[in-house]
Amino acid sequence: MTNQKHLFSIEEGLHYLNGAAYSPTLKSSVERGIEGINLKAVHTHQISGKDHFILPEKVQKLFSKLVNIPDYQRVAIIPSVAYGMATVANNFHRLPNISEKKHIIQIQDEFPNNVYAFDRVCQNHHLTYKTIVKPDVFENRGKLWNQHILEGITTETAMVVMPHIHWIYGVKFDLENISKRCKEVGALLIIDGTQSVGALDFDIEKIQPDALICAGYKWLLGPYSIGLAYFSDFFDDGIPIEESWMHRVESDNFAKLIRYERAYRPKAQRYNMGEHSQFIQMPMLEDALTQLLSWGVNNIQNYTKSIIENPIKELQELGCWLEDEAYRANHLLGVSLPISIDNQSFTDKLMQNKIVISNRGVAIRVSQNIYNVEDDLWALVEVLKGSF
């Protein structure tokens, strides 16, 4: 795979290594968004009842192909990860033997959305959070953390909520084995795929989570305020957050709307957000997903490996620490700087040199994609060399 920067409108001379915060938008997606604006603003008379459903269905099918979901009707269109997690919380009470459960497992330094979503659940069901802490060592940290998660899942575990890739440290978690352990003890597995799906292979059939929830504006290259979620059969017949007319059977037939159909559309379709047609954002997301499938996530992962390989060696020689290759991905790196280097001062210095990364306090996060080249990483290395 070759560099694809020409497909994006990235400022010349900018070293953008912050795709884990916000991805740039494809030029073609911007064009689709403008078409969507004009559809609503100018060509409103051309919008039919079926148009509310046709494009969302295409997007659900594209996402299903991206993460190997056999049935696209298990995909819901959501506005945010918080909305997806709230849907999980809203249906948590349906877990069998819930009275025998004692805790929800989370990992240390989890993204706030995935913590706040279940505070009320814990209160209502007399559960506690069981946090699997990050090992206080660098050597074999990813391996040890994964082991501790598996050891922490017991018959008292009600649910495990975790990411595929840690949003700060870049640690990759062994979701297949974690899922197997959850099934052994009757616990739900809820995955935040925001920092992996679109840049790293994720296979629903292999992992078999109960839910996979993804924001669209990072590695899916989509616009802000739209995302996608997979819900397993655990959520069939569950309670949606919104009681939208669009959730209902035959809601595409506008002549029948006042018959007030109580039956929902199949499977996860009751969990779509209201007004999920999104005439501006939906075409943009469709374009982005189509492009990702054309590239192939494995090709993206291999490309990012090729541009980080040599700069990483130099960073390590300069005293930086990164996770072992077996327990990290190539698109998102959590870099621990030498103790003599202040994270914030270094981040500011990078910005002065038009190098954009994220300072996450305990580490800096360097996240690259197919719009980057190796020189972007070397630019960061050169600033570090001048910081001692």
Side-chain angles (χ1 to χ4, degrees), residues 1-212:
M1 185 173 184
T2 58
N3 176 263
Q4 302 293 308
K5 184 177 179 179
H6 62 284
L7 298 178
F8 299 83
S9 298
I10 299 174
E11 180 184 330
E12 196 61 38
L14 183 71
H15 305 284
Y16 190 76
L17 297 167
N18 204 24
Y22 310 94
S23 73
T25 303
L26 287 156
K27 294 176 183 177
S28 55
S29 298
V30 173
E31 291 174 2
R32 292 292 304 280
I34 293 170
E35 290 173 5
I37 291 172
N38 286 327
L39 176 64
K40 175 65 172 63
V42 182
H43 306 295
T44 320
H45 61 285
Q46 296 179 3
I47 301 173
S48 70
K50 292 186 181 297
D51 287 335
H52 289 76
F53 301 92
I54 291 173
L55 193 53
E57 183 176 306
K58 287 182 180 178
V59 167
Q60 289 166 329
K61 288 178 177 177
L62 289 168
F63 185 70
S64 296
K65 188 173 182 181
L66 188 69
V67 296
N68 194 27
I69 300 170
D71 185 351
Y72 78 91
Q73 294 184 103
R74 294 212 169 276
V75 177
I77 295 164
I78 58 176
S80 64
V81 170
Y83 190 99
M85 291 295 174
T87 298
V88 173
N90 213 33
N91 288 280
F92 178 82
H93 66 278
R94 303 171 69 243
L95 181 70
N97 303 319
I98 192 171
S99 61
E100 300 172 13
K101 301 297 185 177
K102 303 296 184 184
H103 60 252
I104 292 173
I105 285 183
Q106 297 179 324
I107 59 172
Q108 182 182 344
D109 299 332
E110 177 61 285
F111 193 79
N113 274 345
N114 304 343
V115 178
Y116 299 145
F118 303 106
D119 284 353
R120 198 167 289 110
V121 165
C122 286
Q123 293 170 13
N124 292 343
H125 297 281
H126 308 291
L127 300 170
T128 59
Y129 288 126
K130 180 178 179 179
T131 302
I132 309 299
V133 300
K134 171 175 58 67
D136 193 24
V137 294
F138 280 147
E139 187 176 0
N140 293 323
R141 185 175 72 179
K143 181 179 180 179
L144 290 170
W145 207 351
N146 273 276
Q147 287 176 355
H148 295 169
I149 292 168
L150 287 170
E151 291 165 359
I153 302 170
T154 71
T155 54
E156 294 184 341
T157 304
M159 180 167 61
V160 176
V161 183
M162 64 182 300
H164 187 189
I165 300 290
H166 197 285
W167 70 295
I168 297 175
Y169 306 112
V171 175
K172 182 167 63 176
F173 296 105
D174 182 4
L175 297 182
E176 286 189 52
N177 281 322
I178 291 169
S179 178
K180 290 175 184 175
R181 181 60 182 150
C182 285
K183 286 174 172 50
E184 288 172 359
V185 302
L188 297 176
L189 175 61
I190 310 301
I191 301 299
D192 182 349
T194 296
Q195 294 294 8
S196 59
V197 175
L200 182 67
D201 182 57
F202 191 103
D203 192 320
I204 286 288
E205 288 286 85
K206 289 181 180 178
I207 298 170
Q208 296 185 16
D210 294 285
L212 168 68

